[in-house]
Amino acid sequence: MTHLECSKCGTRHDAEQIQTVCKKCGKPLFARYDLEAAKETLTRRELVGRVASMWRYREILPVRRPENVVTLGEGWTPLTPTPRLGETLGLKNLIVKDEGIIPTGSFKARGLSAAISKAKELGVKRVALPSAGNAAGAMAAYGARAGLEVYVFMPEDAPKVNAVESDVVGAKVVFVKGLISDAGKLVKDGIPEMGWFSVATLGEPYRVEGKKTMGLEVAEQLDWKLPDVIIYPTGGGTGIIGMWKVFDELEEMGWIGGERPRMVSVQAEGCSPIVKAYKEGKEESEFFENAHTVAAGLRVPKALGDFLILKAVRESKGTAIAVSDDELMADVRLVSRLEGIFACPEGAATISALRKMVDAGEVDRDERVVLFNTGSGLKYTDLFTVKAPVADPKKPFDYGSLR
Ligand SMILES: *Cc1c(COP(=O)(O)O)cnc(C)c1O
Ligand SMILES: [Zn+2]
């Protein structure tokens, strides 16, 4: 890494200092690398023998010294072909990047492994985070491993598991009567008194670096031929922004050409600021009032990187699609039944969106489509009820009723 650069105005910032957002315009900072030097050691042959985690791409990740890497083995998740789901939707080449098997159960682990590692390297001792759910659990786990003090602020109606997983690994949890935006304000207002470093989405430069490794893995796992379409459930947008960023880095290193997948941003109807801005032709989104959806990771009423998400969608000739909670919950069941992947609601939303694209003729039958299942359904058991008969061993059981 050579320096940090504002993603909006280009102002250069020192990467040896703790940084948050651009000092001039307040927008997110991007890490920049000496890609000429990186490609000397990051070679195809070299990759074969490397660790099966996102840290296999260390030349284009921000941590300088290996001993500062805080890892639980995150990344290098399977790219699982889903032929039965594909057939149902009328597609021949459907694949799921399954982030459900990652440490802490969601892809938030990637961003927080990178951000906590870099924070540790820069001497940070105390971190805080507003989170709609999964980021809290991930930060708490990586923070614990790094020996940091961790504070998480989450909406009081965030999935229970996120409070539990944070608490158990030793984070201080605060429930907020409100949304992630309210939690964000509380973290910010606490800085003068508590002196913590906020790891809020795109409020620091390194979570996006962790998340960009999803794009690297998709490229490597498909033998450096990017898919035709990538469908991504979007909250704060770090994943889509990170992938879009790293595709340029890959091109600059000569690993891929100028072709890009169509990037599709999926949101829930109850919280779809990006979809709204996309449809209205705007460069930035507006705050989405009364945001609500069962897909907690998508409940972000205004993303700091909204303009970057919209840019990726437009430049790639992708689209932005909203789906209802009923649709995405039905698709959790569908992909689980057909493929054995118990997806999270956010991940299943990509299926609902894909169905709409197929119906509108926006995807061809032969195109290679990658869906992102961003977390495990096991973190969302609150949302499900099981209708099952009860057997009493003292009485005869009516087996026929099971058919
Ligand atoms: C946070 C989250 C998202 C949204 O991710 P962004 O990169 O912030 O857009 C999607 N799915 C799950 C499970 C999440 O936890
Ligand atoms: Zn700027």
Side-chain angles (χ1 to χ4, degrees):
M1 181 169 51
T2 51
H3 63 284
L4 294 164
E5 185 183 270
C6 176
S7 58
K8 181 90 180 183
C9 75
T11 301
R12 203 181 161 104
H13 292 66
D14 182 0
E16 304 308 319
Q17 306 279 319
I18 296 169
Q19 302 283 1
T20 54
V21 290
C22 176
K23 291 198 177 101
K24 228 184 203 160
C25 75
K27 296 295 184 192
L29 295 175
F30 275 170
R32 296 298 182 201
Y33 300 85
D34 180 350
L35 296 171
E36 279 302 314
K39 80 180 187 198
E40 294 289 307
T41 52
L42 188 63
T43 63
R44 279 177 208 217
R45 178 173 306 180
E46 170 65 29
L47 272 175
V48 173
R50 286 214 180 160
V51 60
S53 84
M54 68 177 211
W55 293 99
R56 63 199 277 104
Y57 309 109
R58 57 176 178 261
E59 284 88 344
I60 47 173
L61 287 171
V63 179
R64 298 211 186 281
R65 291 162 46 158
E67 64 269 27
N68 290 326
V69 170
V70 184
T71 179
L72 291 164
E74 52 293 322
W76 202 245
T77 53
L79 205 48
T80 308
T82 48
R84 300 183 71 212
L85 179 65
E87 196 183 305
T88 303
L89 295 168
L91 295 172
K92 281 195 184 145
N93 216 339
L94 184 62
I95 315 173
V96 170
K97 179 74 169 155
D98 191 7
E99 300 283 296
I101 63 155
I102 237 170
T104 74
S106 90
F107 71 160
K108 291 292 193 298
R110 292 180 190 264
L112 286 146
S113 176
I116 294 291
S117 298
K118 193 64 196 174
K120 181 182 163 194
E121 187 160 77
L122 293 172
V124 169
K125 301 274 181 261
R126 190 179 290 160
V127 287
L129 175 74
S131 166
N134 288 324
M139 181 176 78
Y142 288 93
R145 198 162 168 79
L148 307 183
E149 265 176 59
V150 178
Y151 299 82
V152 298
F153 288 73
M154 64 174 72
E156 61 178 349
D157 56 352
K160 183 183 171 214
V161 63
N162 299 128
V164 174
E165 62 180 340
S166 304
D167 183 64
V168 168
V169 299
K172 194 50 105 235
V173 177
V174 179
F175 292 122
V176 178
K177 285 186 189 302
L179 295 174
I180 185 166
S181 36
D182 303 300
K185 188 170 180 306
L186 278 154
V187 167
K188 211 171 180 180
D189 293 350
I191 293 173
E193 186 174 340
M194 299 299 286
W196 54 46
F197 180 63
S198 168
V199 200
T201 302
L202 292 168
E204 60 76 54
Y206 302 115
R207 279 174 65 183
V208 71
E209 291 302 293
K211 287 243 191 127
K212 82 179 182 184
T213 58
M214 295 188 291
L216 289 166
E217 288 176 22
V218 167
E220 185 177 355
Q221 289 169 320
L222 295 175
D223 202 20
W224 308 103
K225 281 188 268 319
L226 297 179
D228 299 302
V229 182
I230 286 180
I231 310 189
Y232 183 85
T234 311
T238 16
I240 204 166
I241 294 166
M243 286 192 275
W244 194 244
K245 173 176 186 283
V246 87
F247 292 153
D248 285 348
E249 291 169 357
L250 279 177
E251 185 178 354
E252 225 177 300
M253 289 192 295
W255 286 67
I256 60 169
E259 72 289 347
R260 293 288 183 276
R262 308 202 291 286
M263 305 297 282
V264 178
S265 168
V266 181
Q267 298 199 298
E269 279 174 3
C271 181
S272 47
I274 299 295
V275 179
K276 185 163 181 282
Y278 174 75
K279 292 205 169 127
E280 291 171 352
K282 302 220 170 95
E283 272 173 44
E284 285 189 19
S285 64
E286 286 158 26
F287 186 91
F288 201 94
E289 298 292 342
N290 303 317
H292 62 93
T293 166
V294 294
L298 305 186
R299 211 161 45 139
V300 181
K302 164 82 181 161
L304 190 58
D306 52 0
F307 69 102
L308 295 167
I309 304 168
L310 288 158
K311 202 165 126 214
V313 167
R314 291 200 176 105
E315 283 180 3
S316 70
K317 304 196 169 49
T319 184
I321 298 174
V323 304
S324 72
D325 278 8
D326 286 347
E327 287 171 305
L328 63 89
M329 286 304 287
D331 281 327
V332 170
R333 296 260 184 193
L334 184 71
V335 63
S336 303
R337 274 200 323 267
L338 292 177
E339 303 288 357
I341 297 171
F342 183 7
C344 62
E346 295 87 345
T350 64
I351 302 168
S352 315
L354 176 57
R355 188 178 298 106
K356 288 181 201 287
M357 291 177 75
V358 172
D359 289 348
E362 289 168 352
V363 197
D364 290 337
R365 187 171 166 71
D366 295 316
E367 283 191 305
R368 189 185 252 173
V369 179
V370 172
L371 305 179
F372 269 87
N373 175 39
T374 45
S376 170
L378 292 173
K379 297 192 86 174
Y380 297 80
T381 53
D382 296 2
L383 298 176
F384 296 86
T385 46
V386 178
K387 288 193 207 102
V390 178
D392 180 348
K394 289 190 218 82
K395 289 182 193 155
F397 183 65
D398 177 8
Y399 291 97
S401 67
L402 294 174
R403 281 205 199 93

